[in-house]
Amino acid sequence: MREIDARTITDVVESLCIDAACDLGHDVEQLISDAAEKESLPRAQYILNQLIDNIKLAREQQMPICQDTGMAVVFVEIGQDVHITGSYIIDAINEGVRRGYRKGYLRNSVVKDPLERVNTGDNTPAIIHIEIVPGSSLSITVAPKGFGSENMSALKMLKPADGIDGIKAFVLDTVKAAGGNPCPPVILGIGIGGTMEKAAYIAKKALLREAGRHNPDESVASLEQELLHSINALGIGPQGLGGTVTALAVHIETFATHIAGLPVAINMQCHASRHKTAVL
Amino acid sequence: MEIKSIMSPLSKTAIDELNAGDMVKMTGIIYTARDAAHKRMIQLLNQNIPLPFDIAGQTIYYAGPCPPKPGQVIGSAGPTTSSRVDVYTPPLLARGLNAMIGKGPRSRAVIDAMVEYKAVYLAATGGAGALIASCIKKADIVAFEDLGPEAIYRLVVEDLPLIVAIDCRGSSLYS
């Protein structure tokens, strides 16, 4: 049994929070640069060029890419041969978030109660997903999620008879209804199958994939390509002000489901698709 | 790519010359306010109490910045979704608010009030928080300090990149 001190987890989460907020992945940056080259509408280019300048400035000055430094979503994969010592893992993660948001001068955007709405002042609690996996390592991913895009996400329990056409219609309707609100160009995480909450969970996990990399299943990959093409034909464009680049990528994950159901969840992600991972 | 320079506060003549789709860079004074600050401003108006700043002729920026690091003027300071303050906006336009900066579309009621009172809505680039912060040269809290990032700040900006999203004739890039 391998032992990992909870204090190590706190330290790692602290630095992942700051890195994720300030240093956008080169995969997303590349897709935005490609989009700026493809885009022909001058005002859309004006916006995409600002995004590229912003990414570089944020990285150089270690400033958040976006002031909505999000609710911290933390994915943890714990090898089943790992034993956490010192304190409860959930407390250790939240302490890391608390420190990271304070040391990184990140915005505290969490309210304690959804109805009373008083800011907790330290961006906790984080949303924490833990999976037990084989082995003796521990992987932590911090994916801060801004709510401009999160608010535009949607879930629908389709009927099996709705099939692929029903899924396509739901995705396009959701992107159209969102318009400029989720800060396009967006990345779409789509979960198909499972139960209601499983579809939502795999939709969010799909956003952690390297931006633009397709699902290894060929038929799913071709659905990703087709949806990306149809979304970009909508003309919503960067920031919803017109143009040919509304989405940078579509990532679909699937899971087994019930004979009577076809759950589909769409997690909308703005162009600031932030996530950082560390493996202990 | 033609980019116009404009000064805030904007004159009615300057507003008249702006058309939906124009790319601009704004220099001058703007005030931040988002959901909570709007709610309080409307409560003050309803009680006939003066607002913490004279809104006539001014520009409001829908933003809740990150805290500044030591030595910084302000932290990242991109726009937030404008539609969340749509419900509060027509009474502010009636009191002379000239220009609004945010992101995303506005309601019919806001657009109608913009036409009636001759106001303009400009889109800042959502998610360009660090770049926008580099255009902010001074930031002072004006009111509602207890709201933290939602307090009203008076900002001095230089060459803030914006796009005219809805002009004073009601023409909109979102429709």
Side-chain angles (χ1 to χ4, degrees), chain A residues 1-279:
Chain A
M1 184 71 80
R2 181 183 169 206
E3 294 203 335
I4 296 179
D5 192 321
R7 282 174 298 190
T8 310
I9 295 173
T10 296
D11 291 347
V12 165
V13 169
E14 173 191 316
S15 65
L16 289 175
C17 286
I18 299 171
D19 276 3
C22 304
D23 182 12
L24 193 70
H26 288 281
D27 52 343
V28 184
E29 187 179 4
Q30 187 60 50
L31 288 182
I32 296 173
S33 298
D34 295 347
E37 274 181 32
K38 267 185 271 174
E39 188 61 72
S40 56
L41 187 69
R43 65 171 176 268
Q45 280 175 341
Y46 186 50
I47 292 166
L48 293 170
N49 288 331
Q50 286 174 41
L51 295 184
I52 296 164
D53 291 347
N54 183 63
I55 292 165
K56 295 188 191 326
L57 195 64
R59 196 177 283 139
E60 269 166 36
Q61 305 200 352
Q62 217 188 40
M63 276 179 84
I65 295 152
C66 176
Q67 73 291 335
D68 186 351
T69 47
M71 197 161 190
V73 182
V74 183
F75 294 89
V76 185
E77 289 181 354
I78 306 179
Q80 66 179 359
D81 298 327
V82 171
H83 176 220
I84 314 279
T85 59
S87 67
Y88 181 39
I89 184 168
I90 300 292
D91 294 339
I93 291 170
N94 278 319
E95 181 59 19
V97 169
R98 191 173 289 124
R99 288 188 202 166
Y101 275 69
R102 190 174 62 233
K103 286 192 185 168
Y105 294 87
L106 311 182
R107 197 182 76 183
N108 295 321
S109 313
V110 174
V111 293
K112 184 165 190 259
D113 181 287
L115 301 177
E116 290 173 9
R117 309 204 69 83
V118 178
N119 199 305
T120 60
D122 60 8
N123 220 56
T124 65
I127 303 294
I128 303 169
H129 302 290
I130 297 183
E131 286 182 38
I132 308 290
V133 296
S136 59
S137 62
L138 190 152
S139 158
I140 305 175
T141 297
V142 173
K145 191 67 169 73
F147 262 52
S149 59
E150 191 73 354
N151 280 339
M152 297 295 124
S153 301
L155 184 142
K156 201 166 176 181
M157 304 303 282
L158 296 180
K159 291 189 253 327
D162 293 327
I164 296 241
D165 287 342
I167 294 169
K168 286 182 201 165
F170 175 45
V171 171
L172 290 177
D173 287 349
T174 302
V175 173
K176 261 189 261 180
N181 285 319
C183 278
V186 294
I187 295 176
L188 262 71
I190 302 177
I192 304 174
T195 48
M196 185 192 78
E197 84 286 3
K198 181 72 177 182
Y201 178 65
I202 61 177
K204 178 142 268 141
K205 274 196 100 172
L207 294 172
L208 304 180
R209 200 195 289 169
E210 183 189 339
R213 192 164 58 81
H214 284 294
N215 188 299
D217 181 294
E218 261 181 47
S219 63
V220 177
S222 80
L223 181 59
E224 288 174 340
Q225 268 169 329
E226 192 184 335
L227 280 170
L228 181 63
H229 182 77
S230 308
I231 289 165
N232 286 336
L234 293 173
I236 294 168
Q239 297 294 310
L241 299 177
T244 54
V245 186
T246 304
L248 298 169
V250 175
H251 295 173
I252 299 176
E253 293 292 333
T254 61
F255 197 82
T257 191
H258 189 277
I259 48 174
L262 179 55
V264 180
I266 303 167
N267 199 194
M268 199 73 84
Q269 171 64 59
C270 63
H271 55 80
S273 180
R274 297 161 288 187
H275 50 90
K276 290 285 177 198
T277 300
V279 179

